[in-house]
Amino acid sequence: MIRFEPSFFLERNREIDDVTLRAIAREVRKDILKMTSAVNSGHPGGSMSAADILVTLYYYKMRHNPENPKWEKRDRFVLSKGHSSPALYSVLARTGYFPIEKLKEFRVLEGDLQGHPSMLTTPGVEISTGSLGHGIGAAVGMALALKLDRSDSRVYCMIGDGEAQEGSVWESAMAASHYNLDNLCVILDNNNLQIDGPVDEVMSIYPTVEKWKAFGWHVIEINGHDFKEIKNALDEADTVKYKPTMIVARTVKGKGVSFMENRAEWHGKALPPDLLKEALKELGELS
Amino acid sequence: MEKVSLRDAYGDTLVELGKEDERIVVLDADLSGSTKTAKFAKVFPERFFNMGIAEINMMNVAAGLAVSGKIPFVSTFAIFGTGRAWEAVRQTICYPNLNVKVVCSHGGITVGEDGASHQALEDVSLMRSLPNMRVIVPADDIETRQVIRKVAYTEGPFYVRLSREKFPRIFDETYRFEVGKGHVLREGEDVTVISNGVMTHFALLAAEILEKEGISVEVIHMSTVKPVDVELVVDSALKTGAVVTAEEHSIIGGLGSAVAEVLVENCPVPLERLGTPDVFGLSGKGWDLLHYFGLDENGIIAKVKKVLERKK
Ligand SMILES: Cc1ncc(C[n+]2csc(CCOP(=O)(O)OP(=O)(O)O)c2C)c(N)n1
Ligand SMILES: [Mg+2]
């Protein structure tokens, strides 16, 4: 298992190569599938599409302290698409916020890992989410507070492309650029799938780049599964002045398991035991 | 005991209604597979509108369709339809008293593993407080079919709360649902239990157990929370002299509150309310969560014993 001392995470832009990031992301994907299958519930698809970005944020980019989740100087991450909680919980466990064993409490009665992130029960969760379209607004509030406090901490937030249909997302977009929140970086997990089908068929959000630009954001388009591109985009966001940054990450729902990729049916359905075995094998699990 | 799906009953009834009446249109917010409006979408694609994950807009669009002579059924999960979109329902549907039917699945704690963010424990309360809105919480598939038919052809706004979990069947085909009328499922002398949704199943179980202990329970299924059946509540309360309410909802603002209002103003008798306390839900299996919160026959029996103590 790839493990770092908590002190490793205290400075941004860490030395960590793409091979290592990829290996960690593979472990995270296995966690996602095991966690959801264990309780036969939860959302594997969007967790898999978000995994590489979350791993890059927590292992390469963000300044944070797994031993002291409320460390004042930390960068914040808000999972606005809260249903991808398995990806977040796995990354929090693997970076040291709580023992890996705790992943067994996911969605279990009286467990600390609620179906959707709950800040009162899970260390490292900055705000409770689950109802789509709200987290990004809270991220704007955090970015405003950091400005007021003259802090150089940054706020990261991930939204879904289906989530981007919520009007509140655009209210947040407007506010973030109005207040020149250059300490805010939002990542759009653009897997082009939601529950009822492809985003462009259910309710198109396109053209995304032009929309966010028109709302006053600095927009970067990347492949959300290419660690080099993720790192570069996150670094570029650091340099932008007076504007929030939107990273439009083209991703694949179910990424990493061939029979799950680009299939809406695995949005909110866990793999049955036989398919779980097959999937874990694809992800390189021995035995 | 056969368990039946209320949301499947909804989807199937929508298809029947769609065949009968061209004015029926259906809107959903990216949950058509769960709410079962997908059944209607399959047969009548041109009269189905997926509005995406944008519940507030969906309510306003439904109002526009209604004011143009259509009969819109609007569906999503209960918390998003009644919570997220509450003020749109208030302003654009209830204030102009428009013919929109808000029918939501995933009411209550039996939403299960998704947890607090998705468990609507306040939906009945939220909808009950809106002028012109009528609120119905069916118990099984047979009642759901009748409720959906009835609201389709009764002018004005309705909120119908359905569940994710399957519920035990209560009724047979002889049952006749009427808006604003409670239904006496079992007559009794010592105490009245008024319930709806899945709690009616537990009320009947409790009544059976209590009968063996010599306690005679009257069970009233009160699917219409608004307008509540004042006459039936008063008549039964005067007869038994003690009332227990049971609902899969917060004790604040739902059936328990509606019954309390009636009793206080007409015939104050001891009342005990069973529901979720003033807290958020949590993740777990739907049925386990009912027991966790004491929303079962044992919870009702405890409340009955308490209210009988107070009646003495
Ligand atoms: C306000 C709200 N409406 C509906 C839902 C139910 N829901 C959960 S996930 C989801 C689809 C999300 O699609 P997307 O944002 O594209 O997520 P991803 O593809 O990344 O999983 C929906 C409709 C919700 N959680 N919140
Ligand atoms: Mg998506």
Side-chain angles (χ1 to χ4, degrees), chain A residues 53-66:
Chain A
I53 294 160
L54 259 64
V55 164
T56 311
L57 278 168
Y58 277 85
Y59 281 85
Y60 164 72
K61 189 73 202 177
M62 284 181 1
R63 186 171 76 196
H64 63 112
N65 186 352

Side-chain angles (χ1 to χ4, degrees), chain B:
Chain B
M1 174 103 32
E2 190 188 357
K3 280 196 187 169
V4 291
S5 163
L6 282 66
R7 44 190 173 130
D8 277 312
Y10 170 50
D12 295 338
T13 310
L14 276 182
V15 174
E16 292 170 19
L17 289 169
K19 285 178 187 154
E20 287 170 25
D21 194 325
E22 293 223 322
R23 295 172 301 167
I24 304 282
V25 296
V26 178
L27 296 85
D28 205 304
D30 194 34
L31 289 168
S32 67
S34 289
T35 64
K36 303 298 175 188
T37 61
K39 293 182 189 232
F40 181 93
K42 207 166 157 207
V43 186
F44 305 103
E46 72 291 350
R47 280 193 271 152
F48 174 80
F49 303 98
N50 200 325
M51 302 309 295
I53 310 169
E55 296 83 3
I56 300 173
N57 181 57
M58 175 165 73
M59 293 302 171
N60 293 328
V61 170
L65 285 159
V67 90
S68 312
K70 306 297 175 196
I71 304 174
F73 278 78
V74 193
S75 295
T76 172
F77 288 174
I79 195 59
F80 308 130
T82 67
R84 178 57 147 273
W86 184 81
E87 204 259 343
V89 174
R90 178 182 186 272
Q91 168 68 37
T92 327
I93 294 173
C94 289
Y95 179 34
N97 199 13
L98 292 178
N99 199 23
V100 175
K101 321 300 172 185
V102 180
V103 182
C104 293
S105 68
H106 292 60
I109 197 76
T110 46
V111 162
E113 291 90 343
D114 271 349
S117 59
H118 285 55
Q119 292 159 343
L121 303 177
E122 317 86 346
D123 55 328
V124 172
S125 174
L126 285 167
M127 291 294 109
R128 196 169 77 90
S129 63
L130 293 174
N132 294 329
M133 186 58 112
R134 281 153 293 180
V135 180
I136 299 167
V137 184
D140 70 4
D141 58 336
I142 287 175
E143 185 175 36
T144 298
R145 285 171 180 278
Q146 294 197 25
V147 167
I148 297 305
R149 290 207 144 265
K150 190 69 85 175
V151 304
Y153 297 124
T154 308
E155 192 71 22
F158 278 90
Y159 172 58
V160 182
R161 183 219 235 192
L162 306 175
S163 60
R164 169 179 185 245
E165 282 276 348
K166 291 181 174 179
F167 288 164
R169 169 148 320 138
I170 302 292
F171 296 105
D172 59 31
E173 295 295 349
T174 62
Y175 173 67
R176 288 290 164 267
F177 166 79
E178 269 188 75
V179 177
K181 292 278 174 246
H183 185 83
V184 180
L185 278 165
R186 191 184 166 116
E187 291 190 22
E189 303 298 328
D190 300 326
V191 58
T192 305
V193 175
I194 305 177
S195 58
N196 61 22
V198 71
M199 294 313 293
T200 293
H201 159 70
F202 293 116
L204 289 169
L205 282 183
E208 246 170 69
I209 295 167
L210 287 165
E211 184 175 45
K212 290 183 190 126
E213 296 181 25
I215 299 168
S216 159
V217 181
E218 178 143 302
V219 177
I220 297 177
H221 175 62
M222 191 67 77
S223 43
T224 309
V225 181
K226 186 188 172 189
V228 75
D229 191 341
V230 177
E231 205 181 308
L232 182 59
V233 171
V234 171
D235 285 352
S236 185
L238 288 176
K239 178 171 75 169
T240 64
V243 177
V244 168
T245 58
E247 62 195 309
E248 189 199 347
H249 185 276
S250 165
I251 50 159
I252 297 176
L255 177 66
S257 297
V259 170
E261 289 155 15
V262 171
L263 292 180
V264 165
E265 288 177 354
N266 295 279
C267 52
V269 299
L271 166 71
E272 289 289 329
R273 294 170 299 144
L274 179 64
T276 53
D278 186 19
V279 296
F280 283 98
L282 70 170
S283 291
K285 287 193 167 53
W287 219 257
D288 291 349
L289 285 166
L290 284 175
H291 299 309
Y292 179 83
F293 281 107
L295 300 179
D296 54 17
E297 67 272 31
N298 295 327
I300 293 173
I301 289 169
K303 290 288 188 197
V304 164
K305 299 230 161 128
K306 199 165 165 203
V307 88
L308 288 177
E309 270 307 306
R310 291 175 54 203
K311 183 180 156 184
K312 277 177 189 161

Side-chain angles (χ1 to χ4, degrees), chain A residues 45-46 49 81 83 159-163 188-195 197-199 205-206 251 253 267, chain B residues 30 53:
Chain A
S49 67
K81 40 167 275 187
H83 58 280
I159 63 171
D161 46 9
E163 181 180 16
L188 176 71
D189 187 356
N190 194 4
N191 55 31
N192 197 43
L193 280 177
Q194 52 191 117
I195 296 181
V199 170
I205 60 162
Y206 302 105
T251 55
K253 206 154 175 167
H267 167 86
Chain B
D30 194 34
I53 310 169

Side-chain angles (χ1 to χ4, degrees), chain A:
Chain A
M1 191 170 116
I2 304 158
R3 199 82 203 184
F4 296 91
E5 289 301 312
S7 57
F8 172 77
F9 300 105
L10 297 178
E11 296 289 338
R12 288 194 190 113
N13 302 352
R14 293 170 285 275
E15 290 284 339
I16 184 163
D17 58 37
D18 298 358
V19 176
T20 310
L21 289 173
R22 192 165 303 116
I24 296 167
R26 204 175 303 127
E27 296 307 307
V28 168
R29 289 194 164 90
K30 286 191 246 174
D31 286 344
I32 292 166
L33 297 179
K34 288 182 199 165
M35 287 167 75
T36 48
S37 289
V39 287
N40 190 25
S41 109
H43 302 79
S47 301
M48 308 274 274
S49 67
D52 295 327
I53 294 160
L54 259 64
V55 164
T56 311
L57 278 168
Y58 277 85
Y59 281 85
Y60 164 72
K61 189 73 202 177
M62 284 181 1
R63 186 171 76 196
H64 63 112
N65 186 352
E67 278 188 331
N68 178 12
K70 297 276 173 203
W71 181 41
E72 211 178 311
K73 290 184 67 178
R74 75 192 184 279
D75 294 327
R76 275 76 166 164
F77 175 71
V78 174
L79 185 64
S80 196
K81 40 167 275 187
H83 58 280
S84 298
S85 52
L88 178 63
Y89 294 156
S90 165
V91 168
L92 289 175
R94 289 182 175 278
T95 51
Y97 284 83
F98 46 81
I100 301 267
E101 275 298 294
K102 221 181 181 38
L103 296 181
K104 294 208 174 91
E105 293 182 24
F106 179 57
R107 291 186 167 237
V108 169
L109 187 59
E110 291 194 303
D112 283 343
L113 305 186
Q114 291 293 298
H116 295 78
S118 163
M119 66 180 286
L120 297 183
T121 58
T122 311
V125 170
E126 297 284 355
I127 189 111
S128 304
T129 53
S131 171
L132 295 166
H134 292 307
I136 183 175
V140 168
M142 291 176 199
L144 274 175
L146 291 169
K147 289 265 178 199
L148 277 177
D149 294 343
R150 306 265 183 276
S151 163
D152 74 336
S153 291
R154 296 179 59 78
V155 181
Y156 296 92
C157 171
M158 179 182 274
I159 63 171
D161 46 9
E163 181 180 16
Q165 291 156 349
E166 284 289 358
S168 58
V169 167
W170 299 96
E171 297 172 25
S172 301
M174 182 163 59
S177 77
H178 180 82
Y179 287 108
N180 306 318
L181 296 179
D182 50 17
N183 57 348
L184 174 67
C185 175
V186 176
I187 300 123
L188 176 71
D189 187 356
N190 194 4
N191 55 31
N192 197 43
L193 280 177
Q194 52 191 117
I195 296 181
D196 281 345
V199 170
D200 52 346
E201 287 174 27
V202 173
M203 177 60 62
S204 180
I205 60 162
Y206 302 105
T208 26
V209 173
E210 288 82 348
K211 278 201 182 85
W212 288 89
K213 276 192 178 153
F215 269 73
W217 289 54
H218 178 73
V219 184
I220 308 167
E221 257 189 297
I222 62 162
N223 170 352
H225 301 300
D226 181 316
F227 291 101
K228 218 159 251 94
E229 291 191 29
I230 303 169
K231 282 174 171 176
N232 286 341
L234 293 172
D235 291 347
E236 183 178 324
D238 289 344
T239 67
V240 177
K241 289 276 163 262
Y242 310 114
K243 280 182 175 193
T245 295
M246 160 53 66
I247 299 175
V248 176
R250 285 185 311 278
T251 55
V252 174
K253 206 154 175 167
K255 175 74 178 178
V257 174
S258 56
F259 59 86
M260 294 177 80
E261 290 189 357
N262 278 315
R263 301 278 295 271
E265 61 180 291
W266 299 113
H267 167 86
K269 198 169 74 182
L271 293 177
D274 50 325
L275 290 182
L276 174 66
K277 215 165 153 196
E278 212 173 301
L280 291 176
K281 207 154 87 192
E282 262 197 51
L283 288 164
E285 179 135 311
L286 309 168
S287 92

